[in-house]
Amino acid sequence: MSGAIQILHEPKNDEPFIVLSKEGGLASAPLDFSDQDNAFSQCAVFFPQIKKVRGKKEVEGGLLHRIDTATTGLLLIAASQEFYDFIIECQKQNRFIKGYSALCSIDFDNAKKSQGFPKALSFSKETLAGFEMSSFFRPYGKGKKQVRPVLPDSNSAALKKIGKDKVYSTKIISCKEYGDKAFIECKIAQGFRHQVRCHLAWLGFPVKNDFLYNYDFSLRQKEACSEPLSFAASSLEFPDMGSDKIFSFSLPKNSFPF
């Protein structure tokens, strides 16, 4: 197996959902029904009812969102169809909030060196907490393994490549600098593949050990570095299905890969 899971919330009659944390290197979802090396399939061993939920893909059951394979952190899985449908509607209303934490390099030339990014973002250290980045996204690079932000005033070639005509936003909650590194916390309501990692790289705070979006690390051979991606899906917030309560879950600090 590529990694393990830890169950933080087990399903109950009035709380039919599972919150789990997965290790970096473990996929969130199975590729097909024979694939067991992923967080969803590991969870289904203990809670088989999650496989009966009709989700976006039959093989993914009640999985409500994904995080990158390289990312350590929290996943929410529905244990009933009613809860799945409820959270999907909450997501459309921006009421399902995901938080991320990252140890980043400080390199304001990162986007320029990496190429394919829009113009540099303008901000001050005093206003960084609360700063919000918004963009469309397009696939980028060899094998389309990366993405790049696209703005309304980007060139026509970039605008033609956006997967969905939808704006995705990443909001910085806090930033603490430690020499040439920064610890950043941010939140999103809607998510696109690699959104937070790409937005941080665009801002000038590429995630440490990120071989896709941190230019200095991309110059090295990935296999030459055994350190994990310094990035974690660190919190989840969503409403209760039957009351005004807001559930809030945080990744235990000793689970952070940095």
Side-chain angles (χ1 to χ4, degrees):
M1 303 293 283
S2 297
I5 64 171
Q6 178 183 359
I7 305 298
L8 302 183
H9 180 279
E10 297 187 3
K12 307 173 185 177
N13 289 337
D14 57 343
E15 297 177 2
F17 62 85
I18 298 153
V19 175
L20 63 83
S21 68
K22 78 170 188 70
E23 293 181 347
L26 181 68
S28 296
L31 296 173
D32 53 47
F33 288 105
S34 66
D35 180 9
Q36 300 299 307
D37 195 8
N38 59 84
F40 177 83
S41 296
Q42 287 191 30
C43 184
V45 172
F46 304 100
F47 308 106
Q49 64 267 41
I50 66 176
K51 295 192 291 186
K52 298 179 180 179
V53 178
R54 298 185 305 277
K56 293 181 179 179
K57 295 181 179 180
E58 184 180 1
V59 72
E60 296 180 3
L63 184 66
L64 282 155
H65 66 117
R66 295 184 180 200
I67 57 178
D68 300 334
T69 297
T71 300
T72 298
L74 302 180
L75 287 171
L76 177 64
I77 302 176
S80 75
Q81 191 65 49
E82 184 181 14
F83 183 80
Y84 182 92
D85 295 341
F86 171 73
I87 293 297
I88 290 298
E89 189 60 33
C90 289
Q91 195 161 32
K92 293 177 183 177
Q93 300 168 2
N94 293 332
R95 299 171 66 203
F96 178 24
I97 309 299
K98 281 80 74 176
Y100 292 84
S101 301
L103 182 64
C104 302
S105 306
I106 302 175
D107 182 358
F108 299 121
D109 290 325
N110 182 77
K112 183 178 180 180
K113 291 186 295 187
S114 300
Q115 301 183 345
F117 283 87
K119 58 188 176 183
L121 293 168
S122 178
F123 65 93
S124 67
K125 289 186 178 181
E126 292 74 20
T127 61
L128 186 55
F131 187 81
E132 192 165 1
M133 298 158 281
S134 299
S135 72
F136 304 111
F137 279 100
R138 66 183 173 105
Y140 183 83
K142 185 177 180 180
K144 298 182 179 179
K145 293 181 179 180
Q146 301 182 39
V147 298
R148 288 292 187 269
V150 178
L151 301 178
D153 61 355
S154 294
N155 61 57
S156 59
L159 287 168
K160 287 180 181 179
K161 294 178 181 178
I162 59 177
K164 294 182 179 179
D165 188 16
K166 183 176 182 179
V167 173
Y168 296 88
S169 298
T170 302
K171 186 174 183 178
I172 303 296
I173 304 302
S174 67
C175 177
K176 299 177 182 178
E177 293 188 18
Y178 302 93
D180 61 348
K181 301 290 187 296
F183 178 76
I184 293 181
E185 296 180 302
C186 51
K187 290 188 176 182
I188 64 172
Q190 303 283 339
F192 194 87
R193 177 171 65 99
H194 299 173
Q195 174 183 330
V196 177
R197 292 162 59 188
C198 183
H199 270 167
L200 289 175
W202 181 28
L203 187 63
F205 294 94
V207 175
K208 187 174 177 285
N209 297 325
D210 191 339
F211 292 90
L212 290 180
Y213 299 102
N214 188 322
Y215 182 79
D216 288 343
F217 280 87
S218 70
L219 294 177
R220 310 178 192 179
Q221 290 292 326
K222 184 175 181 180
E223 293 76 11
C225 180
S226 59
E227 295 181 26
L229 182 71
S230 297
F231 186 68
S234 52
S235 68
L236 295 174
E237 297 174 25
F238 52 91
D240 180 26
M241 192 165 54
S243 71
D244 294 331
K245 178 180 178 180
I246 301 295
F247 289 105
S248 180
F249 294 90
S250 296
L251 186 69
K253 293 296 183 182
N254 60 3
S255 299
F256 278 43
F258 51 89

